[in-house]
Amino acid sequence: MATIEPTGPGHTVLPGRPPYTVDDLLGFPDDGNRYELFNGSLLASPAPTKLHQIAITELVVILAVAAPPTLKVLSTVNLRITDRDYYIPDIVVVPKASIHTDPLMFSPEEILLAVEVASPSTKTKDMVLKAHEYAAAGIPSYWRIEPDEGPTLYVHELSGKSYGPPTAYKAGSVASLTTPFPVTFDPADLD
């Protein structure tokens, strides 16, 4: 078995070699990084920033209060798209019944809304890569929150196999959304 060798103190030695699969990823040590896969390539992100965590917590509360009892709002779940594509959305909305289908992973068919809160290290990945991947997987709604923009909420809705141009809601404006359920809030509430 090949390993990725560390390049200095504090680096983790990961088992296996690319292209990685989701099963490979499940064998990685818990070193504080968030590991995701894009076509077998490893994407690593450091622990979320304070603003990132505040935005997640505030939005989970807003969504959980508005959600009907048949839906659940969860944070940092495992999303297996294929054996070589795996992501950890910051927030998802799923049917309550899907909680018991697989105790470890969700499939794209179970995700009604995926939300990513951008950090300096994930901004491009969230804006381009995840928008493309979530749309290709058929996830109906994708929201991206940019904390350093006020914050600003970008709402993407599926149109065919891709998301149309996002609608932006800046802090101080009211986002009245209907998908996956009616909810109204000011993105400033996420700060």
Side-chain angles (χ1 to χ4, degrees), residues 10-191:
H11 289 98
T12 302
V13 176
L14 300 175
R17 62 179 183 178
Y20 291 107
T21 66
V22 174
D23 290 336
D24 293 332
L25 196 69
L26 295 175
F28 284 7
D30 184 3
D31 63 1
N33 285 311
R34 286 174 61 164
Y35 293 108
E36 297 175 299
L37 292 175
F38 169 65
N39 196 26
S41 294
L42 195 61
L43 306 173
S45 300
T49 64
K50 294 174 187 175
L51 290 178
H52 187 274
Q53 293 209 23
I54 290 167
I56 291 171
T57 301
E58 297 298 333
L59 187 56
V60 164
V61 170
I62 290 167
L63 292 174
V65 167
T70 57
L71 300 178
K72 286 292 185 188
V73 179
L74 304 169
S75 65
T76 58
V77 302
N78 299 312
L79 172 59
R80 180 194 305 246
I81 294 179
T82 70
D83 283 342
R84 291 189 178 177
D85 295 290
Y86 163 88
Y87 300 99
I88 306 172
D90 288 319
I91 301 170
V92 296
V93 173
V94 297
K96 187 176 181 179
S98 70
I99 302 294
H100 304 290
T101 57
D102 178 338
L104 186 60
M105 297 279 173
F106 284 95
S107 66
E109 299 80 27
E110 297 170 313
I111 308 293
L112 304 175
L113 168 66
V115 180
E116 295 290 354
V117 178
S119 295
S121 64
T122 67
K123 187 171 184 158
T124 301
K125 180 172 59 170
D126 293 341
M127 188 169 45
V128 180
L129 175 69
K130 288 193 176 179
H132 177 268
E133 291 297 303
Y134 291 168
I139 296 172
S141 287
Y142 171 54
W143 297 359
R144 190 180 84 252
I145 298 163
E146 297 283 350
D148 61 348
E149 292 181 14
T152 299
L153 167 68
Y154 292 90
V155 175
H156 302 258
E157 298 294 335
L158 196 59
S159 176
K161 296 230 180 232
S162 62
Y163 293 124
T167 302
Y169 298 91
K170 296 192 177 292
S173 64
V174 175
S176 290
L177 307 166
T178 58
T179 304
F181 50 79
V183 62
T184 301
F185 64 97
D186 181 337
D189 297 338
L190 306 178
D191 196 11

